[in-house]
Amino acid sequence: MGDGLFPALVIGASALPAFLLARSFARDRPRMATVMRLVGLAMLAGALGLAWAGGDRTRTFAVAIAMALAVNVLALLVLVDVIRRRRGGR
């Protein structure tokens, strides 16, 4: 397997749980479902970016930073949704 292809496959496969969670949230929590779909898409984009980087350290670093930022911003949105639901908001 080429440099960077194995990590790309692992990241791509790890996006599946995000899509499954989105599907389970779709009816009761549509906002959370949307965020989880976006997490899955960010992970797939990161996987494609890692495959594109092909083991080049500079490209891999840039892709990793972009993916980390995207996933963490989306994680904050999940946290905000959880806090709102606990406080009784919608």
Side-chain angles (χ1 to χ4, degrees), residues 12-88:
S14 66
L16 181 62
F19 290 117
L20 292 174
L21 282 170
R23 186 172 182 193
S24 71
F25 289 139
R27 181 173 294 152
D28 298 332
R29 297 172 72 179
R31 187 182 320 146
M32 180 71 87
T34 299
V35 171
M36 292 310 297
R37 282 186 203 100
L38 291 173
V39 168
L41 289 174
M43 293 175 76
L44 288 177
L48 289 173
L50 288 175
W52 165 76
D56 179 87
R57 288 181 154 232
T58 303
R59 288 180 181 181
T60 300
F61 184 71
V63 169
I65 293 296
M67 187 173 65
L69 286 172
V71 170
N72 282 304
V73 165
L74 292 166
L76 284 174
L77 292 176
V78 169
L79 182 62
V80 166
D81 187 64
V82 168
I83 290 170
R84 280 186 185 158
R85 286 181 92 41
R86 286 190 178 170
R87 291 185 177 167

